[in-house]
Amino acid sequence: AMFFSKSSTYIYSVDINSATRDAVFNYASAPAYWPFCHPSSVEVKQVEGQPPIDLKKSLPLNKQVIEITQLFYLQQTITWTCTASDPGATFTIEGSAFGAKGKITYMFEDNPDGSVKFTRIFDLTATNILTIIGFVLLSNFIGRDATKSLTTVMSMFELPPTT
């Protein structure tokens, strides 16, 4: 039997004014807000049989949530596990779907001008030939989803002044 594997890394970042690293971290790492930020995210819910967690707070280390995603007509359930969390600095979740394994890392850094650099790193490993072909075809959409999610988080903090 042949074994196919392909790994890709997608890195996107945005500078957010009018926010602290902690504020951006607390928002971006809270599962309840993922459907508002990510175009492919439909719903996030508790894992049945596990003690309940507050989805409006950062996903705790080693805790899990279920995310329902939809890309075109494909709906997928992903169980995400928080594998690293350093509040205000980094946050990592890992999960698998469509015969692929994904790891998303958020990094939060202070820029010299006082803004926050928010970086999203998506490591994707496809483990079968159909998944590899699919993700080659979907790579533009993966990038679009990541860009949209970062700009959505940015807009949450950079609201226009009210008059």
Side-chain angles (χ1 to χ4, degrees), residues 16-20 110-116:
I16 302 176
N17 298 306
S18 312
T20 64
D110 288 322
N111 286 321
D113 66 2
S115 65
V116 175

Side-chain angles (χ1 to χ4, degrees), residues 10 12 20 26 30 40 48 56 62 65 104-106 108 114 125 127 143 145 160:
Y10 304 87
Y12 299 88
T20 64
N26 290 340
S40 62
E48 284 187 36
K56 290 186 176 182
N62 298 318
V65 291
I104 298 173
T105 300
Y106 290 151
F108 310 86
T125 303
T127 54
D145 197 73

Side-chain angles (χ1 to χ4, degrees), residues 34-86:
W34 297 349
F36 300 105
C37 302
H38 300 275
S40 62
S41 182
V42 176
E43 179 186 4
V44 177
K45 55 189 181 180
Q46 307 274 347
V47 176
E48 284 187 36
Q50 293 186 8
I53 55 174
D54 186 348
L55 297 178
K56 290 186 176 182
K57 292 187 176 170
S58 180
L59 183 61
L61 189 62
N62 298 318
K63 297 296 182 185
Q64 295 180 315
V65 291
I66 293 172
E67 181 179 31
I68 311 298
T69 64
Q70 183 153 357
L71 198 54
F72 305 115
Y73 60 91
L74 298 172
Q75 196 169 76
Q76 184 67 39
T77 300
I78 306 170
T79 300
W80 291 108
T81 304
C82 177
T83 56
S85 184
D86 181 2

